[in-house]
Amino acid sequence: MARTGTRAGGGRGARRSAAAPPATVSEGDVALTRLQRLELYYWMRLTRSLEERLVNLYRQTKVVGGLFRSLGQEADAVGSAYALQRGDVLSPLIRNLGSMLVKGATPVEILKQYMAKGDSPTRGRELNIHFGDTERGFIGQISPLGDMVPVMAGVTLTFKMRGEPRVGLVYVGDGATSTGAFHEGINFAAVQRCPLVVVVENNGYAYSTPTCKQTLAAQFVDKAIGYGIAAERADGNDVLATYGATKRAVDRARRGEGVTLVELITYRRKGHAEHDNQSYVPAGEIERWERENDPIMRYLERLRSEGVEDAALQAIDARVTSEIDEATDLAEQSGVPDALDALVGVYADPPAERPLWFREGKRDVVDVHERPEGWGTYDAPARGAD
Amino acid sequence: MAEITYLEAIREALFEEMERDANVFCLGEDIGAYGGAFKVTDGLMAKYGESRVIDTPISEIGIVGAAAGAAHMGMRPVVEMQFIDFVANAYDMLTNYVATARYRAFLPCPMVVRGPSGGYVRGGPFHSQNPEAGFIHTPGLKVVYPSTAEDAKGLMKAAIRDDDCVLFFEHKYLYRRIKGEMPAGDHVVPIGRARLAREGRDLSVITYAATVHKALEAAEQLEREDGLSVEVLDLRSLAPLDDAAIDATVRKTNRVLIVHEDTRTGGLAGEITARINERCFEWLDAPVLRVTAHDVPLPYAPSLEDLVLPQVPDIVFAARHLAAY
């Protein structure tokens, strides 16, 4: 516990440009079997390796849009989602690839999404990891931040109305806590005593804006007091502590005790997206977190200290590599969406829009579907090791 | 059968749909114990309890978002905006989240957002608006705006049963002024079909909501004083529009006046004009004209509001101009 407290953020200097070290962290009453502990490693490794594969595909221009990394945040994503059961529903954020994988999203779906394939989960309609499946228990986010809090309040209101023992979990970043939707959603859920866990992933930055310019609250759990709800705070780079804190919140919700705000302290080591060169980050900060507080390295140390042999870990690494290779092959074989599918499914009725008169009878009027170079933002090489 | 008011017709639809389908529930500000600012939901909580008639915090984003989440899970929520003016607070949730849900994520979003709308009631800038245009402009949303008690009930029932989000505008000027006899049985008015409110030969007024009644009054006067036969088409559904009914009346009378209470620029009349131009240009004997509100916020004082909003003499004036063109 103390170890993580001193490691987070390097602990030097008074500026609050990035997440401050957690004052108190909790390992939680974590009771996981060896198999489960190895599973946590698998999900974190899969998350990181899949994103590394996506970087390669991005550089080969096979990713159509931007690429969003969760490097350094794998523990908070995986550990929190792991606290849910089958039947529970979560709503991820852009850095919750790990949460979605835990909930059953597959690498090939992720790759097809990024590559805008016709048989991707959204048939090429949405970007990156913006997709969901209510059967498996995750609901796709939209880009306006905070909006998923009211939506998940409604999802969990339904669980309550129907007397189902199900729980919802919604992720927001430090930035989204400033939105009106966050406030209205969490307050509505609190008053209705919805079985909802609101996870604030405090990773130090909202795009380029440091947390100190987002709020004057000393810590995000302080906001829970104002809403009259429970709070948990944990080191988000410690997968077991994250799991423990989230599990307590999930159990509380399932017992009918309402909403918990869980603050997970972590750090965003990459830019908002791949194009972002992180010029706003103080020198040395990223490197310090990479060196001293990498969630996967920390967890590996921990597993080894508990006597997990290297062979078991290497077997997981090999499994991850082969799964991603196989998924990449599959995704690359998929075709692009049929252009006319763009007009299908805005409404249940009518099922499709008609092509406009100047497009009647034509399938395609563009010879080459150009892929823009980027977002038009400054595109210097990213800092730090890759 | 006894006549009931436009407001009572909406309430009757809510009762019937909550009775028919246990997934239907209502949420909004002051709708439960108090029965709503206009008493539309009066009696619902007494019958169906606090879990199906939910008094919410003042949170338009929150309640529209929560309705969407519940709709994803198979519920059919009916959200009340205490005044439709406040739907602007939920504009993001409706246009970015709800409207796109089916298309981008294959998530069903069967929900109704309803509320008292419109002017002629001295309500001032924030209790008189007609903000339908922004939602008509958003693919993924449906918009209805009835002018009669029968349609208020039938369209509410259709809206609740629709598999997508329907914005249901209720004209508060009509709440207690308009009465109608409800058809027997399960009275559902299909979304997307206009209603011929009055048949005529010489020119057509295409309109909806409170101005339907202004147009009917003007039509009476024009017949009496000018011998003009004026057709009045009540759109009822604004998204989707009943193009066939619009085309039919244009081809019949060849002269079209579009009347709405919403402001002029970017209002629905512009869209209808464009469609008529594209499809019925050769059928027109005169340019399509518009009578709308002026492009100003809606003021409070009677003399000010009456100037801004379209009135019966405005419609008579415009119709005479059109007939003489």
Side-chain angles (χ1 to χ4, degrees):
Chain A
M1 188 190 288
R3 186 187 69 163
T4 58
T6 53
R7 291 179 78 156
R12 277 177 63 84
R15 63 178 296 171
R16 286 178 62 225
S17 64
T24 57
V25 291
S26 172
E27 288 269 332
D29 39 346
V30 177
L32 292 172
T33 64
R34 176 193 146 95
L35 197 67
Q36 289 172 314
R37 288 176 184 243
L38 287 178
E39 211 172 40
L40 286 173
Y41 173 68
Y42 164 76
W43 293 122
M44 291 204 289
R45 176 59 72 192
L46 180 61
T47 305
R48 182 168 296 182
S49 298
L50 182 54
E51 288 186 359
E52 284 165 356
R53 174 61 50 86
L54 281 162
V55 171
N56 290 339
L57 294 166
Y58 181 81
R59 289 177 180 160
Q60 295 168 42
T61 70
K62 289 176 178 168
V63 168
V64 174
L67 172 58
F68 296 82
R69 299 288 306 276
S70 64
L71 181 67
Q73 296 185 226
E74 296 91 344
D76 89 67
V78 168
S80 51
Y82 201 75
L84 295 173
Q85 295 177 359
R86 182 183 296 272
D88 294 342
V89 176
L90 67 76
S91 174
L93 277 181
I94 198 65
R95 290 178 225 294
N96 292 114
L97 171 60
S99 315
M100 291 172 66
L101 293 170
V102 169
K103 261 303 197 182
T106 61
V108 70
E109 288 180 309
I110 308 293
L111 292 163
K112 285 176 177 175
Q113 268 297 114
Y114 268 108
M115 294 158 89
K117 297 293 192 177
D119 60 351
S120 70
T122 66
R123 306 209 305 250
R125 285 140 189 245
E126 250 283 32
L127 302 94
N128 53 62
I129 63 169
H130 284 202
F131 71 96
D133 179 0
T134 45
E135 289 299 310
R136 281 177 281 179
F138 55 103
I139 290 181
Q141 65 200 298
I142 65 167
S143 301
L145 295 172
D147 282 18
M148 298 314 293
V149 183
V151 171
M152 288 303 294
V155 167
T156 52
L157 176 72
T158 306
F159 297 160
K160 194 192 83 165
M161 290 169 85
R162 291 179 172 164
E164 296 173 341
R166 300 166 75 184
V167 171
L169 185 153
V170 60
Y171 293 98
V172 291
D174 38 283
T177 63
S178 306
T179 66
F182 168 80
H183 165 72
E184 293 197 11
I186 198 168
N187 183 59
F188 178 95
V191 170
Q192 286 295 324
R193 291 173 175 74
C194 295
L196 180 65
V197 177
V198 180
V199 174
V200 179
E201 294 178 300
N202 180 359
N203 70 4
Y205 292 92
Y207 209 141
S208 75
T209 305
T211 306
C212 63
K213 290 188 179 174
Q214 208 67 242
T215 180
L216 280 184
Q219 45 185 9
F220 287 103
V221 281
D222 291 349
K223 293 175 186 272
I225 299 164
Y227 295 114
I229 59 175
E232 298 280 349
R233 191 166 192 255
D235 177 355
N237 282 18
D238 178 341
V239 71
L240 295 178
T242 294
Y243 168 79
T246 314
K247 184 71 166 56
R248 285 192 295 278
V250 167
D251 291 347
R252 201 175 283 128
R254 211 182 303 282
R255 288 195 303 267
E257 293 168 27
V259 181
T260 302
L261 189 157
V262 178
E263 178 178 2
L264 300 175
I265 292 122
T266 183
Y267 184 78
R268 196 191 76 196
R269 274 165 39 198
K270 301 296 288 184
H272 173 62
E274 280 296 283
H275 68 264
D276 171 8
N277 72 355
Q278 293 174 285
S279 58
Y280 45 85
V281 179
E285 188 178 277
I286 298 165
E287 293 78 3
R288 199 163 62 239
W289 278 83
E290 181 186 8
R291 197 169 57 244
E292 300 175 7
N293 201 344
D294 179 77
I296 294 183
M297 296 309 291
R298 281 177 60 187
Y299 193 50
L300 276 172
E301 270 178 46
R302 164 112 188 203
L303 289 173
R304 289 195 184 103
S305 76
E306 290 172 355
V308 174
E309 59 282 12
D310 281 347
L313 299 170
Q314 283 159 5
I316 291 173
D317 293 348
R319 178 185 159 200
V320 163
T321 304
S322 78
E323 285 176 356
I324 293 173
D325 285 346
E326 195 182 322
T328 308
D329 288 345
L330 269 174
E332 296 215 59
Q333 285 164 25
S334 285
V336 300
D338 176 51
L340 285 173
D341 189 50
L343 303 181
V344 174
V346 177
Y347 300 94
D349 178 30
E353 300 301 305
R354 283 188 47 178
L356 294 171
W357 67 276
F358 48 87
R359 285 282 176 82
E360 287 279 5
K362 298 173 193 168
R363 176 151 296 264
D364 216 343
V365 294
V366 181
D367 290 333
V368 181
H369 294 281
E370 283 181 29
R371 183 181 164 280
E373 290 296 314
W375 294 100
T377 42
Y378 180 63
D379 208 10
R383 297 154 45 121
D386 252 320
Chain B
M1 200 178 284
E3 289 195 327
I4 59 173
T5 64
Y6 179 100
L7 183 148
E8 288 163 341
I10 296 165
R11 184 191 297 146
E12 203 168 276
L14 294 173
F15 268 100
E16 287 181 16
E17 291 305 295
M18 288 190 75
E19 192 64 30
R20 187 188 59 82
D21 182 353
N23 291 315
V24 178
F25 73 104
C26 296
L27 66 170
E29 298 150 16
D30 308 298
I31 66 161
Y34 187 66
F38 286 87
K39 303 291 178 191
V40 173
T41 54
D42 198 23
L44 278 179
M45 182 183 265
K47 181 154 189 197
Y48 296 106
E50 283 185 36
S51 70
R52 287 184 70 194
V53 185
I54 301 174
D55 276 321
T56 69
I58 302 172
S59 300
E60 283 78 16
I61 307 171
I63 59 183
V64 170
H72 295 340
M73 305 313 288
M75 304 299 285
R76 289 187 176 262
V78 180
V79 175
E80 175 173 303
M81 293 287 118
Q82 192 158 83
F83 285 84
I84 207 71
D85 312 59
F86 307 150
V87 77
N89 291 324
Y91 190 75
D92 161 64
M93 194 57 81
L94 282 164
T95 58
N96 278 321
Y97 189 83
V98 171
T100 62
R102 178 177 296 280
Y103 185 76
R104 72 180 153 76
F106 314 113
L107 278 170
C109 220
M111 54 186 275
V112 177
V113 177
R114 49 158 290 267
S117 321
Y120 302 107
V121 294
R122 320 313 185 195
F126 308 109
H127 293 74
S128 307
Q129 291 175 27
N130 285 288
E132 62 269 21
F135 302 105
I136 294 164
H137 181 69
T138 304
L141 300 176
K142 295 183 177 180
V143 180
V144 299
Y145 204 161
S147 73
T148 68
E150 295 90 326
D151 286 348
K153 179 176 179 182
L155 281 170
M156 177 58 79
K157 288 167 76 87
I160 290 171
R161 297 180 195 189
D162 199 278
D163 286 330
D164 291 299
C165 176
V166 179
L167 272 72
F168 191 99
F169 287 74
E170 302 165 4
H171 206 295
K172 68 176 87 68
Y173 179 80
L174 306 180
Y175 265 161
R176 293 182 172 85
R177 280 183 178 82
I178 298 295
K179 285 187 169 184
E181 196 173 303
M182 296 302 114
D186 191 27
H187 170 55
V188 180
V189 172
I191 293 171
R193 299 238 198 98
R195 176 183 71 95
L196 202 54
R198 179 191 167 100
E199 288 208 56
R201 297 178 311 276
D202 298 328
L203 66 92
S204 300
V205 178
I206 300 175
T207 184
Y208 56 94
T211 44
V212 168
H213 301 280
K214 306 275 180 202
L216 289 170
E217 210 179 314
E220 291 287 330
Q221 186 183 339
L222 287 160
E223 177 156 48
R224 204 168 52 238
E225 297 176 7
D226 303 57
L228 278 174
S229 170
V230 177
E231 183 148 300
V232 177
L233 185 69
D234 174 6
L235 291 170
R236 304 194 289 193
S237 289
L238 310 185
L241 277 171
D242 188 345
D243 286 321
I246 293 169
D247 291 2
T249 194
V250 175
R251 289 168 191 222
K252 182 178 176 189
T253 68
N254 316 115
R255 293 168 199 270
V256 184
L257 178 67
I258 306 169
V259 179
H260 64 55
E261 191 189 321
D262 189 11
T263 46
R264 192 170 188 82
T265 303
L268 183 59
E271 173 63 26
I272 296 169
T273 305
R275 292 189 187 200
I276 293 171
N277 169 59
E278 284 164 350
R279 289 196 306 256
C280 307
F281 182 70
E282 63 272 30
W283 294 85
L284 291 172
D285 289 341
V288 178
L289 296 181
R290 294 178 287 170
V291 168
T292 64
H294 292 74
D295 282 338
V296 297
L298 204 61
Y300 166 52
S303 61
L304 302 179
E305 186 186 38
D306 289 345
L307 180 110
V308 173
L309 292 182
Q311 308 295 343
V312 173
D314 300 324
I315 300 170
V316 169
F317 178 85
R320 283 176 176 153
H321 181 79
L322 196 59
Y325 187 87

